Amino acid sequence: MPELPEVETTRRGLAPHLEGHTVCSATVRQRRLRWPVEPDFERRIAGARILKLERRAKYLLVHTDRGCAIWHLGMSGSLRLVEPGAEVRKHDHVDWVLDSGLCLRFHDPRRFGALLWTDSDPAAHDLLAHLGPEPLSEEFCGDYLFRVSRGRRQAVKTLIMDGRVVVGVGNIYASESLFLAGIRPDRAAGTISRARYGRLTDAIKQVLARSIEQGGTTLRDFIGGDGKPGYFAQQLNVYGRTGERCRQCGGPVRDMVLGQRSTFFCRRCQR
DNA sequence: CCCGATTCCTGTAGGC
DNA sequence: TGCCTACAGGAATCGG
């Protein structure tokens, strides 16, 4: 599914084809996404000139001279440029026809994605206004996590997956980061030392940066037809490896449920 | 305020 | 082989 690295990869891939171009027209085939696409979205975007593509958390912001479109890919969404006249497949919910002749197409089987419009600063939009810092920013550091975790009894894994604390840390990266930092996912956030939060923020930055370098390869990118995960899965230390041997100590990888999310860890390497 | 549970949706995996 | 069910997950929102 699109994690932060994949959204960033999407942004980098689309930017040269979108920035400076005009949206001639838009077609919305399915309005019922995570939130309904507003009725006059097509009218608002038609004729708009795209100024810049920006990523904030897992949102892709398309700044235009008329306002800003806010995309979210949910967990099964993708944005691709297709040739005009390309066959429309099931779950192809939105098209933007560009003045270049290319078409920006949104495909999203599970419809957890969203397409919103705002006439004002998107940072002030309800969905963005209360988000925590970007994980790759300097603001996100051990001191910060230490400070915001004081007095909290919730598990550290659910803390780092809380978008008000830090954005873009999905379920896979949360387990992987905690493994790299040697911290048990269910440790109460408020009892973890400043030094260990330093190691955790380093681990989060490392795992996200490495994934961006790989073009955001995720679990759902397959090699061959056997359903086996792709490149990135080969680098996973614990995610989805229940019962297999820990790469570090050889012990069995364990799983548990935290905040209704499957969670993977090694009892010996994480405390 | 804090935090766990519920909700949206459909493709896929696992059980029988 | 095929049907049926459980499950996965981002993140807002509800409920205690």
Side-chain angles (χ1 to χ4, degrees):
Chain A
M1 78 287 326
E3 297 272 0
L4 182 149
E6 201 169 13
V7 178
E8 178 60 23
T9 300
T10 297
R11 188 194 67 79
R12 293 179 187 185
L14 293 179
H17 299 276
L18 297 188
E19 291 177 353
H21 285 274
T22 296
V23 181
C24 301
S25 63
T27 303
V28 180
R29 299 183 192 85
Q30 172 59 272
R31 312 202 84 84
R32 292 181 53 215
L33 302 179
R34 177 68 176 80
W35 293 280
V37 179
E38 67 172 87
D40 55 351
F41 182 89
E42 294 94 319
R43 190 182 57 73
R44 288 171 177 274
I45 195 76
R49 185 163 183 272
I50 296 171
L51 306 173
K52 195 164 179 55
L53 256 64
E54 182 191 5
R55 181 191 59 75
R56 172 73 172 110
K58 294 176 186 172
Y59 294 95
L60 192 64
L61 309 179
V62 185
H63 295 273
T64 81
D65 58 355
R66 303 256 184 99
C68 186
I70 303 173
W71 286 105
H72 195 294
L73 302 182
M75 60 166 295
S76 62
S78 61
L79 280 169
R80 297 207 180 132
L81 289 163
V82 299
E83 298 293 333
E87 185 191 358
V88 176
R89 300 159 305 163
K90 195 177 181 183
H91 307 308
D92 284 343
H93 303 315
V94 181
D95 280 357
W96 289 4
V97 177
L98 304 166
D99 60 3
S100 62
L102 287 176
C103 173
L104 177 68
R105 177 162 289 173
F106 179 63
H107 179 83
D108 184 13
R110 294 186 196 176
R111 290 195 269 143
F112 277 24
L115 174 58
L116 304 163
W117 179 264
T118 178
D119 292 319
S120 48
D121 179 9
H125 192 281
D126 267 355
L127 289 175
L128 301 177
H130 309 290
L131 293 176
E134 289 286 326
L136 296 174
S137 69
E138 284 190 17
E139 181 186 355
F140 183 65
C141 61
D143 284 347
Y144 168 78
L145 262 195
F146 179 76
R147 178 160 43 81
V148 302
S149 62
R150 290 311 92 181
R152 295 219 194 184
R153 276 179 290 183
Q154 78 183 132
V156 60
K157 176 168 178 267
T158 55
L159 179 85
I160 62 174
M161 290 182 67
D162 184 339
R164 293 166 299 187
V165 172
V166 58
V167 300
V169 182
N171 200 38
I172 298 170
Y173 294 131
S175 280
E176 292 299 310
S177 302
L178 287 160
F179 174 82
L180 286 183
I183 300 170
R184 270 183 67 119
D186 57 350
R187 281 287 306 275
T191 68
I192 295 173
S193 73
R194 186 185 299 261
R196 304 192 81 204
Y197 272 125
R199 286 193 282 278
L200 180 54
T201 50
D202 286 349
I204 290 170
K205 288 169 194 282
Q206 187 188 321
V207 77
L208 290 174
R210 192 187 296 162
S211 187
I212 290 173
E213 282 169 22
Q214 297 185 356
T217 307
T218 71
L219 266 192
R220 297 277 168 170
D221 294 334
F222 300 123
I223 294 176
D226 58 359
K228 285 279 166 53
Y231 294 119
F232 192 74
Q234 295 169 15
Q235 297 184 19
L236 295 176
N237 284 300
V238 288
Y239 188 86
R241 297 191 64 240
T242 305
E244 296 177 40
R245 298 167 74 88
C246 170
R247 302 192 204 284
Q248 205 161 266
C249 76
V253 172
R254 316 266 179 178
D255 67 82
M256 64 173 130
V257 175
L258 285 177
Q260 289 69 243
R261 289 289 175 269
S262 49
T263 302
F264 304 88
F265 69 107
C266 171
R267 231 179 236 171
R268 201 176 306 167
C269 297
Q270 295 171 259
R271 293 178 189 278

